Amino acid sequence: MTYPSLLWSGTLAESREREPAVPESTIRDLLAEDDIRARSIPFFRIPCRPEEIPARQGLILRMLDDPIFAERIERLRTALIDTEQLFGEIRRSETEEEKTLLFVPAMNRFFALAEELADLDGDGGRAGEVGMFWRGWLGNVANEAYRKRCRDVLSRHESAFRLKIHGSSVTAFERKNDVRGELEKSVRDMGLEDAIPPVRPVQKASLPIVNGFAGVYGDYARLAESFRTDCEADYIGGQRDITEAFLYREELEFLLDVSAYFRKLREGGYPLCCPEVSERREFILNGAVDPSLLRRNVPGTEAVPNDVRMTDFDGEREQFFILSGANGGGKTTYLRTCSLAALFFSAGCPVAAKSGRCMPFDAVYTHFPANENYESNGRFMDEAARAEEIMDAAGENSFAVFNETYSGTDEKRSEEYSARLADRMWGQGTFGIYVTHIHALTGGKIPTLAAVVDEGDDNRRTYKIRRVGETKSSFARDILEKYGLDGDSLSLRIAEIKAKKGGA
């Protein structure tokens, strides 16, 4: 059976065949453990196809704007977990009799789950397509007959054998304990207490108990066995295989996780938009901010917005930039703003910006060197190796950022390697940014961005990033002045020392 995916074009089974394109290092660089739950990270490693982005954006927006729909998704997830656990109990059953007694309520629960899936309507991404499929699935003549037959079998001894599933939060494990209790009660009613072993796994009903129940409720056991015999091969591994449908659980959990993340951003005052998918080679964002600032308790109203404009069409080659400027001026924050936007957009998620228009990326690469002990040949060699991997993997439809790569070596070699990296990224059409303090790289064919300071206000950091020509200074002078280490301050101190010595 092929069930349509909620998040991808195509089926659930086809979505499992997609290979991750975004490396794990990018996820480590950009997302903290408390941002997105680990179970949903794999979806960020597989970029969407162009037609999938707006569909997924619409679904996530509906999760944010429609509480009733969000609650329905949560109920579906709970029902899927519940149903999957019950079928898991069937797989772990040690006897055919036990499988038979569990099969009817398990199928009944699945039919109820299918009805909930069929309730998904057309607003929001592919929800309508999924709902339409399941409405057709339930309307199939064979399914309709099996559903009626399943209810009839189950209703024969529902009061004595409480296996009917009501969609509550009770787990399959707890429900099976109830089943055992009912079986034991039936065996005791028959005077067969000796059939209950004194020591037993609480989650398993012994064969004597199962057989004892079947003896008391023989008509139920025969009907259940007949139902299982007729439809098990069809629904478990056959033409209507229902086990694939359990893959919806991962998709529902992704929707719940990302909507929780973006809801926090919205409540924190951060802008959210769903950029338009552009057919041109461009990455345009208006009023973009770094959403990871929320992790540091920075309200959205205090996050300084910046525009992003990267283009590569009609002869304009400004898709890769050198970013230089003042220390502490917001360069790393801007890098995270851009790379997180590229990652989220590629995964069909909203972006922390007022508006945007972006091309789909086939991968997002990041290089944020960490100040830590390196296990191989030192910091420089490790940085160089990772940067080389990115250069080899990135193409003209990729997005890549580098934060002061090659800083763990002397200035001459750092400039040589940095120039090679920037030239290669720009030349092959990769979108992205290279942050550096090497002024020789600025003002050339590769366009330059700078972290702006207010020179008229003691070089105050504005955290604004601007397109500029060649940059002559990284504004390190103001830091030297702060600690009295600039040329003028040092000359003054030397003069004072000499004067003191002369007067001694």
Side-chain angles (χ1 to χ4, degrees), residues 315-341:
E316 182 180 3
R317 195 72 178 281
E318 293 205 344
Q319 92 292 344
F320 193 85
F321 289 82
I322 299 293
L323 172 56
S324 189
N327 289 321
K331 298 188 300 295
T332 300
T333 297
Y334 186 75
L335 214 60
R336 294 182 65 84
T337 297
C338 295
S339 51
L340 274 168

Side-chain angles (χ1 to χ4, degrees), residues 47 73 94 139 224 264 272 308 311 317 358 376 501:
I73 294 298
E94 298 177 359
K264 287 181 182 178
L272 285 183
V308 179
T311 57
R317 195 72 178 281
C358 311
S376 54
K501 287 183 176 181

Side-chain angles (χ1 to χ4, degrees), residues 163-181:
L163 273 170
K164 187 170 184 179
I165 314 305
H166 296 287
S168 68
S169 59
V170 178
T171 65
F173 176 82
E174 293 169 331
R175 208 163 32 248
K176 196 163 185 183
N177 287 339
D178 286 340
V179 171
R180 182 184 177 85

